[in-house]
């Protein structure tokens, strides 16, 4: 009698495990087909923007991945009112007081400087951030042209984010004549 109970228990446990496995595989396939990301595949990178050239500018840059799309949101404070160029630069190095240690614009595709989404542009050509009378401003950009934490040529991690004193004119080579670097941050993978 005891052997029959054990056999029934083993069969029931086995069927339960198979059912759970089928459900988990089905959920995984459904999430892949609908584009829903699990927490494990979602990535985020951040940069704390500090003052360069004694400007007093500070802020944050947050890169958030949703599927193959990455959204960048930059928020700054302490800047003069008006337009200020914002770019990703080739080095995640803000050690120099003037921000020049971040190098030139990040340009892994080797094309001319320009305006994002129009003709040729560097992958680091974010655009202009509009700063109000209170010294704050923000800009957002969503793209599938970047990656986060992959180590590829188009990975934003390890690069620098620079806020400039002037507006980017989107024409002057190689950097849009945006003036001095007034803010600098290093883009790091959020873990």
């Amino acid at each position: 009698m005891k052997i029959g109970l054990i056999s029934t228990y083993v069969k029931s446990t086995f069927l339960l495990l198979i059912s759970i496995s089928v459900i988990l595989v089905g959920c995984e396939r459904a999430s892949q087909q609908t584009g829903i990301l699990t927490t494990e595949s979602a990535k985020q990178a951040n940069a704390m923007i500090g003052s360069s050239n004694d400007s007093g500018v500070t802020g944050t840059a947050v890169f958030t991945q949703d599927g193959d799309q990455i959204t960048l949101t930059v928020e700054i404070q302490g800047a003069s009112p008006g337009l200020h160029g914002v770019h990703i630069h080739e080095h995640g190095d803000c050690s120099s007081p003037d921000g020049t240690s971040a190098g030139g614009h990040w340009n892994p595709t080797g094309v001319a400087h320009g305006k994002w989404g129009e003709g040729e542009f560097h992958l680091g050509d974010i655009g202009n951030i509009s700063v109000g009378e209170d010294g704050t401003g923000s800009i957002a950009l969503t793209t599938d042209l970047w990656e986060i934490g992959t180590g590829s040529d188009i990975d934003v991690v390890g690069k620098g984010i620079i806020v400039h004193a002037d507006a980017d004119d989107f024409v002057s080579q190689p950097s849009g004549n945006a003036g001095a670097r007034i803010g600098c941050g290093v883009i790091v993978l959020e873990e």
Side-chain angles (χ1 to χ4, degrees):
M1 188 69 153
K2 288 184 182 180
I3 294 176
L5 285 175
I6 292 172
S7 177
T8 303
Y9 174 75
V10 169
K11 287 179 186 176
S12 298
T13 304
F14 181 71
L15 289 174
L16 178 63
L17 290 174
I18 288 178
S19 298
I20 290 171
S21 297
V22 168
I23 290 170
L24 290 175
V25 168
C27 288
E28 177 63 24
R29 286 187 182 149
S31 70
Q32 289 173 351
Q33 290 170 351
T34 60
I36 297 171
L37 288 177
T38 62
T39 354
E40 294 176 343
S41 61
K43 293 181 184 175
Q44 183 172 312
N46 302 310
M48 297 301 297
I49 299 170
S51 175
S52 293
N53 284 306
D54 294 321
S55 68
V57 170
T58 59
T60 59
V62 178
F63 296 81
T64 307
Q65 182 177 345
D66 183 8
D68 65 347
Q69 299 290 306
I70 295 175
T71 298
L72 165 63
T73 303
V74 179
E75 296 179 350
I76 61 169
Q77 49 274 330
S80 60
L83 296 176
H84 297 273
V86 178
H87 304 113
I88 298 174
H89 283 243
E90 58 192 345
H91 305 298
D93 182 355
C94 295
S95 61
S96 62
D98 62 358
T100 57
S101 54
H105 285 192
W106 176 49
N107 185 18
T109 54
V111 297
H113 172 72
K115 186 173 186 178
W116 187 276
E118 296 181 12
E120 288 189 339
F121 57 92
H122 299 159
L123 288 186
D125 288 342
I126 306 304
N128 289 319
I129 191 168
S130 180
V131 175
E133 293 298 321
D134 64 354
T136 66
S138 65
I139 189 172
L141 172 67
T142 300
T143 182
D144 64 355
L145 298 178
W146 299 330
E147 293 177 356
I148 296 176
T150 63
S152 75
D153 289 345
I154 59 171
D155 184 356
V156 297
V157 174
K159 308 300 183 272
I161 188 126
I162 296 288
V163 179
H164 291 272
D166 302 319
D168 185 333
D169 67 12
F170 306 119
V171 177
S172 300
Q173 299 300 322
S175 60
N177 197 30
R181 300 169 188 206
I182 58 172
C184 183
V186 177
I187 303 167
V188 295
L189 185 63
E190 185 69 25
E191 298 192 37

